[in-house]
Amino acid sequence: MSIDGAKTGDAAQRERASPGPASAGSEAGKFTQGSTLRHVLVMTAAGAVGLVAVFVVDFLSLLYISWLGKPALTAGVGFATIVLFFATSINIGLMIAVGALVSRALGARDRERARRLAASAMVQTGFVAGLVGLGALPFLEPLLALLGADGEAREAAIRFLMIALPANVFMGLGMALSGVLRAVGDARRSMYVTLSGGLVTAVADPVLILGLGWGVEGAATATALSRLVFLAAGLHGAGHIHGLLARPRLAHVVADIRPMLAIALPAILANVATPVSNAFVASVMARFGDEAMAAVAIVDRLVPLCFGVVFALSGAVGPILGQNWGARRFDRMRRILRDALSLVVVYVGAMGLTLALIGDAVPVLFNVAGTETGRLVAFFCVISGFLWLFNGLLFVANASFNNLGFPLMSTGFNWAKATAGTVPFALAGAHLGGPEGILVGISLGAVVFGLAGILTAFWTIGLLARR
C-alpha cells in the first residue's frame, strides 16, 4: 500500500470513529497518534522504574529484618506479605478498571466523561480498599494459622499487619490515581507515584527498623508512610496537573458502579489466581523439606526484580489499547499487541540468558552455595527465560482482554493456568523429577496458556473490528 493510501485509510477510520457533537473540540488521546512502539516502550520503562524500585525496597526491608538475628521475625514478615498480596491483588484489579474506563473516554475525546469516571472510581476504590484493609483485621489469627504460621512468627505477622493493613486504603487510592495518569499518557508522573513511595520506604526502613530499634513495627510503619506518599503523588499528578478529577457526585458514583465492576471484578478474580497458584506450588515443594522451601523464597525475590519489566508492560499496554479502541483505531491496536509481543521476547530472552550465565553466582549472594537450596536456585536461573517468556505472553493478553471489553477472558485464562496449567504439571513434575521437576512442570504449563492467550487477544481485536 502506498503512503498516501495508508493516510487515507487512517483518516477514514478516524472519521468513522468520530464521537459526535458531545465531544467535539476535545483533545485526541495521546496514544492514538505517533509511533505505537514508542508509546509501548516509554510507558513500560516508566512503569518498570517505579515497580522495580518497590521490589528492591521490599527486598531490602526483609533484609533489614533478617539482620536483627531472629528468624521468627523474618518468617513473620514473610507470612504478613502473603496476606498483603491478596489485598494488593484487589487494588490492582481496581486500578485496571480505572485505567480502562478513563482511557476509553479520552480516546473517544470525551474529557468530561473521563473526569467524571475518575472521580467516581476514586470514591469506589477508597471504599473497597478500606473495607478490605480494615475488614481483614478481625480474621488475622485464623488466616495466619491457615498459612501455617505459629508461635513468635505469627505474633510478628499480626503486629506488622495491624499497622500495614489499615493503610491499604491509601495504597488503593494511589494505585487508582496511577491508573488515571497512565490513561492520559503521563508515564513520568505515573512512575512518580510508585517511585516516591519506594524512596520513602528506602529511607524510613533502616531508620525505623535498625536506628530506632522498632523492628517489625518499624517495617510496618515505613510501609504505611510510603502508601500515604503514593496517594499524595497521585493526587498532585491526576488532580492538580491534569485536572482529571471532577468533584464526585453521589448520583454519578452510583451510576458508574456498573461499568467499574464489569471490569474490576473479573480483573480482581484474575489477579487472585496468581497467589492461589503460588500457594499450591509452595505446598508441593514443601514436601521436599525446608531447603526446597528456602529456594522458593529466594526465587520469589528474584522474579520481580528480574522480570519487573514484564509486570510493567502488562499495565502499560492497557491504556494504549483503551485509547485506540475509543478512537476505533483497530489497525493500531493490532500493531500495539505486536510491539508488546516483540518487547516480551527480546527482554525475557536477554534476562533469561543473563540469569543462566550468572546462575552459579546467585546462590553465593544468598549464602546458600553448595546446598540443596543453592542447587535449586541455580536450576531456576537456567530455565527462567523459558518460563517467563510464556508468562509474559499471558500478561500482555490479559491487559488486552481487560481493556477491550473481554475481562472474563482474563479471569478464565488466569484461573485455567492456575489450575489446569499448574496442578497436574506440578504434581507430575514432583513425581518424575522432584523439586526440579516441579519447576519444569509449571514451565510447560505456562507454554500452553501463554500461546493460547496471545492468539485469543489478536482474535478479539478482529472481532471488535467486525462488530
Side-chain angles (χ1 to χ4, degrees):
M1 181 184 290
S2 69
I3 294 177
D4 289 339
K7 287 182 178 177
T8 302
D10 286 350
Q13 281 204 26
R14 285 193 292 271
E15 194 171 284
R16 286 194 296 272
S18 175
S23 55
S26 297
E27 283 184 29
K30 176 179 178 178
F31 299 134
T32 63
Q33 306 168 45
S35 166
T36 56
L37 178 58
R38 183 179 183 278
H39 290 319
V40 170
L41 291 174
V42 169
M43 291 296 288
T44 300
V49 170
L51 273 180
V52 172
V54 172
F55 294 145
V56 169
V57 169
D58 286 345
F59 175 84
L60 291 175
S61 180
L62 193 65
L63 184 66
Y64 296 143
I65 290 292
S66 70
W67 287 356
L68 298 176
K70 296 182 178 180
L73 297 183
T74 305
V77 174
F79 283 119
T81 302
I82 295 173
V83 176
L84 288 176
F85 188 35
F86 280 93
T88 302
S89 297
I90 294 172
N91 291 340
I92 292 173
L94 295 168
M95 179 186 70
I96 288 170
V98 175
L101 293 173
V102 174
S103 66
R104 288 181 202 172
L106 291 172
R109 305 190 182 194
D110 193 345
R111 185 176 179 82
E112 285 307 308
R113 177 165 176 77
R115 296 179 72 244
R116 163 187 160 169
L117 287 168
S120 296
M122 289 299 294
V123 176
Q124 296 157 358
T125 298
F127 176 78
V128 174
L131 185 64
V132 170
L134 296 175
L137 294 179
F139 305 101
L140 290 182
E141 288 273 1
L143 280 174
L144 291 167
L146 190 62
L147 292 173
D150 58 12
E152 189 178 356
R154 182 165 61 183
E155 292 304 314
I158 290 174
R159 296 203 307 271
F160 186 99
L161 291 169
M162 290 297 289
I163 297 172
L165 266 179
N168 185 61
V169 63
F170 305 129
M171 186 180 191
L173 290 170
M175 292 176 71
L177 289 164
S178 176
V180 173
L181 289 167
R182 288 178 184 173
V184 78
D186 193 338
R188 182 165 53 92
R189 289 190 176 87
S190 174
M191 173 188 72
Y192 287 166
V193 176
T194 49
L195 185 58
S196 60
L199 290 174
V200 167
T201 309
V203 174
D205 262 337
V207 173
L208 297 176
I209 297 171
L210 302 175
L212 297 179
W214 288 8
V216 168
E217 287 84 350
T221 302
T223 298
L225 288 174
S226 73
R227 292 175 177 182
L228 271 172
V229 174
F230 266 37
L231 176 56
L235 284 172
H236 176 74
H240 180 69
I241 301 297
H242 288 285
L244 273 174
L245 292 176
R247 185 183 297 275
R249 295 177 57 183
L250 181 60
H252 290 168
V253 172
V254 173
D256 294 334
I257 287 176
R258 184 173 180 179
M260 180 74 170
L261 290 182
I263 300 174
L265 281 179
I268 289 169
L269 289 173
N271 283 325
V272 169
T274 299
V276 169
S277 172
N278 291 346
F280 176 79
V281 172
S283 70
V284 177
M285 191 70 79
R287 301 174 187 176
F288 297 94
D290 291 342
E291 289 195 354
M293 282 303 300
V296 171
I298 293 173
V299 166
D300 284 346
R301 293 290 183 266
L302 278 176
V303 164
L305 284 178
C306 296
F307 299 103
V309 169
V310 179
F311 289 48
L313 175 63
S314 64
V317 169
I320 304 173
L321 284 169
Q323 280 196 15
N324 282 279
W325 185 31
R328 301 301 187 262
R329 297 299 307 275
F330 298 106
D331 57 326
R332 289 176 63 84
M333 290 159 66
R334 293 188 186 92
R335 206 178 312 150
I336 290 160
L337 272 189
R338 287 196 294 269
D339 292 339
L341 183 59
S342 299
L343 180 56
V344 167
V345 172
V346 172
Y347 176 81
V348 173
M351 184 55 67
L353 178 61
T354 301
L355 279 174
L357 291 174
I358 66 169
D360 291 334
V362 175
V364 176
L365 178 66
F366 285 91
N367 198 30
V368 292
T371 66
E372 175 74 0
T373 298
R375 189 172 62 81
L376 289 174
V377 170
F379 181 74
F380 171 80
C381 289
V382 172
I383 68 167
S384 64
F386 179 80
L387 169 63
W388 272 90
L389 171 60
F390 296 99
N391 279 337
L393 299 185
L394 187 55
F395 275 34
V396 173
N398 284 339
S400 175
F401 298 145
N402 286 326
N403 285 272
L404 298 182
F406 299 92
L408 288 176
M409 283 193 174
S410 174
T411 306
F413 270 104
N414 267 23
W415 277 101
K417 179 179 175 292
T419 53
T422 299
V423 174
F425 288 94
L427 291 175
H431 178 71
L432 297 173
E436 292 94 336
I438 297 172
L439 295 175
V440 172
I442 60 177
S443 298
L444 294 176
V447 172
V448 176
F449 291 96
L451 289 175
I454 198 68
L455 290 174
T456 305
F458 279 105
W459 174 80
T460 58
I461 292 177
L463 180 61
L464 289 173
R466 290 191 295 274
R467 285 179 180 174

